[in-house]
Amino acid sequence: MPQHTSRFTSRRGLLFGTAAVGAGALLAGCTSNDSSDDESEAANDQPAASDSPGKPVTIGFAGPQADHGWLNAINDNAKNRAKKYSDVTLEITEGSNDTAQQIGQIETLINKKVDVLVVLPADGKALTQVGLKAMRAGIPVVNLDRVFNTPQAYRCWIGGDNYGMGLNAGHYIGEKLKGKSNAKVIELAGLDNLELTKQRTKGFDDALKNYPNVRKVARQAADFTVESGQAKMAQLLQAQSSFDALWNHDDDQGVGALRAIDQAGRDDFLMVGGAGALSALQAIKQDNGVLKATVLYPPTMAASAIDLARALGQSKGIGGLAEFEIPASLTLYSAVVDKTNVDQYMSTGFK
């Protein structure tokens, strides 16, 4: 699962603000809203990437082993985005969660002299040196989600906002329980040894501080699998005879959590999920169970990483921004999806 430290958040739908919009929208030609002829001319001259074919670019992609719905969606998004461009050749490695194996795969891509590298490292710290090796070889690196230890190991970082996930989940629940006195909330977290889990919990706790009538009464850590979600949720249900809301960090483990909830015959609370799995979006749309919303951690970031790599390979910037270069860091916004907007996001759901 993803790890995140860097933050550069845009809430505009045009600029990575939603899961439905990737960098392609940004990389269209740039125009100016200023009436000055000189400024307009300068903006039109800015080298921004577009969908039109340009200089051929070979992108090396080293992604994760697809042992989780979100990780599989990362790989699919990268492959499908590359197919969109006739000027992009994608050299993709077999996904791996083994650090040594992934280092070897990236070194092979470096030796092939690809133009740009996109890397979602199995372990950001452990792969920092190979990121540095690529950069020193003149191959710019787009670091996807799990961040390297030093910015010197990448040209651009793009990823999700784990703190923002918790923050937005907490605010959504807080608003839903605003009129209820002594409201009780529980949390089904992910792996506690991961920084991302700590960030999600911190955001959630910080949001709940804004609602004095809401109190978190229990928390249980699972490990992002269906089986763990079911087991840990069963424990929470047994320990908590009554509560008003549940936040589950991950929609994959949420499949198991919902099984436990159904087996216990409980429907006296609302549930908010995390990440944006298709099964969760479908359940939200049907609106016949406890799951009422999910907070996105969009795997479309991999498609956007391909867009950014293409722009780097063609020495282009991003349309809609004044700068001639792509940013050093981009954090996607963790939108809340409920029945009011689920149709908009349905196409982004992953299996």
Side-chain angles (χ1 to χ4, degrees):
M1 285 295 292
Q3 290 176 296
H4 164 58
T5 57
S6 176
R7 300 191 66 199
F8 178 97
T9 305
S10 171
R11 295 172 184 258
R12 293 179 293 157
L14 182 62
L15 186 57
F16 298 95
T18 68
V21 180
L26 285 173
L27 302 176
C30 174
T31 59
S32 171
N33 292 323
D34 196 294
S35 60
S36 165
D37 290 340
D38 290 341
E39 289 185 12
S40 294
E41 184 177 351
N44 289 331
D45 286 344
Q46 179 174 323
S50 70
D51 287 348
S52 301
K55 173 187 172 184
V57 179
T58 299
I59 300 172
F61 180 81
Q65 181 179 339
D67 57 1
H68 181 279
W70 187 87
L71 294 172
N72 183 64
I74 282 287
N75 292 334
D76 286 346
N77 269 272
K79 293 174 187 175
N80 292 335
R81 196 64 164 191
K83 291 176 183 175
K84 173 184 174 181
Y85 300 116
S86 61
D87 52 18
V88 167
T89 299
L90 190 66
E91 290 275 355
I92 189 164
T93 66
E94 182 178 349
S96 177
N97 291 333
D98 179 85
T99 297
Q101 184 178 9
Q102 194 176 29
I103 288 172
Q105 292 171 344
I106 295 169
E107 287 179 336
T108 297
L109 292 172
I110 293 171
N111 292 334
K112 286 185 176 181
K113 298 184 175 4
V114 297
D115 298 307
V116 189
L117 270 171
V118 175
V119 179
L120 196 160
D123 182 315
K125 179 180 180 181
L127 268 78
T128 297
Q129 287 302 315
V130 77
L132 285 166
K133 182 176 181 179
M135 291 289 287
R136 288 166 181 161
I139 301 172
V141 176
V142 178
N143 182 189
L144 183 55
D145 204 51
R146 297 173 185 166
V147 68
F148 292 134
N149 263 14
T150 171
Q152 295 186 72
Y154 59 86
R155 166 57 183 83
C156 176
W157 176 89
I158 177 171
D161 188 354
N162 289 292
Y163 178 86
M165 280 186 76
L167 194 70
N168 290 346
H171 279 302
Y172 182 85
I173 288 173
E175 290 298 315
K176 291 296 182 183
L177 302 179
K178 210 167 186 179
K180 185 177 180 61
S181 61
N182 300 317
K184 298 177 181 178
V185 173
I186 66 174
E187 179 183 8
L188 182 62
L191 285 161
D192 263 342
N193 65 330
L194 298 180
E195 181 62 25
L196 71 93
T197 301
K198 298 172 186 175
Q199 286 295 312
R200 291 179 186 184
T201 292
K202 186 177 189 311
F204 188 60
D205 291 345
D206 285 352
L208 293 182
K209 292 174 184 176
N210 294 284
Y211 305 94
N213 64 308
V214 179
R215 180 168 57 99
K216 188 168 78 170
V217 296
R219 180 184 184 277
Q220 184 68 260
D223 60 10
F224 298 122
T225 65
V226 173
E227 295 75 18
S228 70
Q230 185 170 352
K232 299 300 184 179
M233 190 70 229
Q235 293 175 19
L236 281 170
L237 291 168
Q238 187 173 14
Q240 302 296 322
S241 60
S242 176
F243 57 92
D244 301 290
L246 157 71
W247 181 43
N248 161 55
H249 285 205
D250 176 74
D251 286 333
D252 269 25
Q253 70 184 25
V255 172
L258 286 169
R259 286 178 187 170
I261 292 165
D262 288 343
Q263 289 171 359
R266 296 283 293 272
D267 61 0
D268 54 329
F269 59 90
L270 70 91
M271 175 179 172
V272 175
L278 181 60
S279 61
L281 299 181
Q282 290 170 336
I284 290 165
K285 184 176 176 65
Q286 292 168 3
D287 195 24
N288 58 5
V290 297
L291 184 60
K292 301 300 182 184
T294 190
V295 187
L296 298 185
Y297 201 91
T300 49
M301 65 179 72
S304 297
I306 296 298
D307 289 333
L308 292 165
R310 177 174 176 260
L312 278 170
Q314 296 178 344
S315 301
K316 301 290 182 65
I318 292 178
L321 294 181
E323 289 74 24
F324 287 87
E325 300 284 349
I326 69 168
S329 178
L330 289 167
T331 303
L332 294 104
Y333 182 60
S334 294
V336 177
V337 179
D338 64 9
K339 64 181 180 180
T340 67
N341 63 351
V342 66
D343 287 337
Q344 176 187 351
Y345 292 96
M346 193 65 73
S347 64
T348 72
F350 56 89
K351 297 180 181 180

